[in-house]
Amino acid sequence: MSIIPNELIALYELFNSFEAAALFSDDLIEELPLICMLSNRSGKVIRINRFAEEFFYRKKNETVGQPIISVMSEQARREFIDFFKRIEDGDREHFYYVEQAEDQYINWKGLVLDGPDSDTPIVVILGDDVTETVSLKSSVYSARTVQKALLPKGFDVPGVNMRWVYESAEATGGDWFDYKYDPVSKRLLVCICDVNGHGTAAAMVTGCVSGLFHGVMNSLVTNISDDQELLNAFATNLNGSIYQILERANRLLTMAALSINVETGEGAYVSCGHPRVISFGKGHAKPLLNRNSPIGVSPDIEFKSIALNVLPGNSLFLYTDGLIENRDRMGRSLTSRELLDSLKKNESEELKYNWLRQYAKGLECIPPHNDDTCLIILTKQATEED
């Protein structure tokens, strides 16, 4: 660490009999504090720095010789009384406490240093204003709450079953998915996307996609009956609407969308630079090949979807690349071949989902593959007639 002697001159003056390396080691002070005070074992102030003067609105000559608790707020006073009582009892454990004073947060740290006479320890009290950090964390978790509201809460569509796993690498993520069911046409629309990168910036883009998905689809479902034409129009509208946002944010968006008649299983699929959707059942699995550019590459892109048909008892698997790029607890990543082989197993869809769910939630997101992870399994239910 880089030490600024001027900021810690009080420490140096009082501890000049100590080894400087021991005093200013990384173990003792991880980073330069704003507030620095020294006291004896009973809590009487020996020295303070100018930041402490400014924080407590007291000059040095008004503070030195006084108990530290006399300058602390009532909230922090109780914590420091307990800390110094433990010191008197021989405890040398470091002290950590975050004080909330109105809209300000102070991170207090107490360190006990034994001098030449171990019975007369000197106590170093460090304080940092972490208000900005706390506020930032609060904002991030507020964004997380909003992003969670953009994801589906449940699924209740006749004739099909859909289950999913969503794990973000940070509090917020760049993966998003949702569905829309039109009871008139019996069409189920599913969309999954991945904004490159993760965190709050990527999450803000997914918020735009969510609004466009529901807004654009409401219009398209009413006016377009052909599934392939519907998905082509949706991808084109999405690209045209969000291109400038992605360009300014220096981002790209991969996306896969499905449109399926829940009664017949017939429909269409479009992939915009996204990992291929896999059609699978007991003993078989096959990736569906459909290649289009990612969303945001150019303002004018032509998208082409393909037809598909989901038979009763069969499933479609959609996922983002975090599933195969992140590493598990053993440091291994799942290959595309291993994923396909797992879906090919002669097992039920439920067992395959449970394995994938356990795997996805066990990912450690080790850099540089610390990406969000999202997966969906959509299954057409078999009837007695099937």
Side-chain angles (χ1 to χ4, degrees), residues 55 73 75-76 97-106 108 131:
F55 180 75
S73 67
Q75 178 192 155
Y97 173 66
V98 178
E99 173 191 3
Q100 180 180 2
E102 297 180 352
D103 294 329
Q104 189 176 35
Y105 292 82
I106 304 297
W108 293 108
T131 306

Side-chain angles (χ1 to χ4, degrees), residues 16 21 90 116 124 130-132 178 193 195 199 233 256 280 287 295 311 329 338 356 358 362 366 368 374 386:
N16 55 14
V124 182
V130 294
T131 306
E132 185 175 347
D178 208 345
C193 73
V195 180
F280 74 93
I295 303 293
L311 299 176
R329 296 185 184 277
E338 288 172 332
L356 286 163
Q358 183 178 7
I366 302 172
C374 180
D386 300 321

Side-chain angles (χ1 to χ4, degrees), residues 28-327:
L28 175 63
I29 303 174
E30 295 178 358
E31 58 184 24
L32 186 68
L34 289 175
I35 304 166
C36 182
M37 298 184 291
L38 306 174
S39 80
N40 61 17
R41 64 188 299 172
S42 64
K44 283 191 176 181
V45 177
I46 299 172
R47 193 71 181 243
I48 66 173
N49 69 349
R50 64 183 179 87
F51 291 111
E53 289 184 284
E54 295 173 3
F55 180 75
F56 293 116
Y57 297 103
R58 294 194 186 188
K59 296 294 184 182
K60 291 180 181 179
N61 59 4
E62 298 174 331
T63 307
V64 173
Q66 301 299 314
I68 281 181
I69 60 173
S70 67
V71 298
M72 293 290 179
S73 67
E74 182 177 353
Q75 178 192 155
R77 190 176 300 141
R78 294 190 295 270
E79 301 293 333
F80 277 93
I81 288 174
D82 290 342
F83 173 54
F84 283 105
K85 184 178 183 304
R86 293 196 299 271
I87 295 174
E88 291 283 1
D89 294 338
D91 190 351
R92 295 294 187 268
E93 185 175 351
H94 294 343
F95 166 73
Y96 299 96
Y97 173 66
V98 178
E99 173 191 3
Q100 180 180 2
E102 297 180 352
D103 294 329
Q104 189 176 35
Y105 292 82
I106 304 297
N107 185 27
W108 293 108
K109 180 187 297 184
L111 309 168
V112 183
L113 300 179
D114 289 325
D117 181 356
S118 61
D119 291 331
T120 58
I122 299 297
V123 183
V124 182
I125 302 297
L126 308 174
D128 275 313
D129 186 342
V130 294
T131 306
E132 185 175 347
T133 301
V134 172
S135 299
L136 178 60
K137 286 184 178 179
S138 176
S139 298
V140 168
Y141 282 101
S142 295
R144 181 181 187 178
T145 301
V146 172
Q147 187 179 36
K148 281 189 172 182
L150 301 178
L151 302 175
K153 300 299 181 184
F155 185 81
D156 185 17
V157 175
V160 292
N161 183 35
M162 191 171 90
R163 292 189 280 191
W164 57 80
V165 176
Y166 182 92
E167 291 290 320
S168 57
E170 299 179 9
T172 54
D175 288 2
W176 170 87
F177 76 100
D178 208 345
Y179 73 92
K180 177 180 177 58
Y181 176 62
D182 178 44
V184 177
S185 63
K186 305 296 182 183
R187 281 191 290 185
L188 172 65
L189 307 161
V190 180
C191 182
I192 185 171
C193 73
D194 181 4
V195 180
N196 66 311
H198 47 84
T200 305
M204 293 175 68
V205 177
T206 65
C208 298
V209 178
S210 176
L212 288 167
F213 171 71
H214 289 283
V216 171
M217 279 300 191
N218 280 336
S219 173
L220 296 179
V221 169
T222 303
N223 296 293
I224 302 177
S225 59
D226 181 79
D227 291 300
Q228 288 185 252
E229 185 182 346
L230 169 70
L231 294 182
N232 295 344
F234 169 65
T236 300
N237 274 272
L238 178 62
N239 185 72
S241 299
I242 205 172
Y243 171 76
Q244 289 187 346
I245 295 174
L246 292 170
E247 184 183 38
R248 289 195 294 266
N250 194 27
R251 305 268 174 173
L252 289 176
L253 170 75
T254 69
M255 183 270 291
L258 306 171
S259 177
I260 299 173
N261 185 304
V262 298
E263 291 184 344
T264 66
E266 295 179 349
Y269 152 61
V270 66
S271 174
C272 304
H274 201 78
R276 289 183 286 177
V277 168
I278 301 174
S279 173
F280 74 93
K282 285 187 178 181
H284 64 89
K286 178 183 178 181
L288 303 179
L289 181 60
N290 178 240
R291 293 178 178 174
N292 292 281
S293 297
I295 303 293
V297 171
S298 169
D300 302 309
I301 302 177
E302 183 178 352
F303 298 94
K304 292 184 178 181
S305 60
I306 60 170
L308 60 77
N309 186 17
V310 186
L311 299 176
N314 285 353
S315 305
L316 295 174
F317 180 67
L318 301 82
Y319 67 101
T320 59
D321 57 13
L323 181 67
I324 59 175
E325 291 183 356
N326 288 328
R327 300 179 185 179

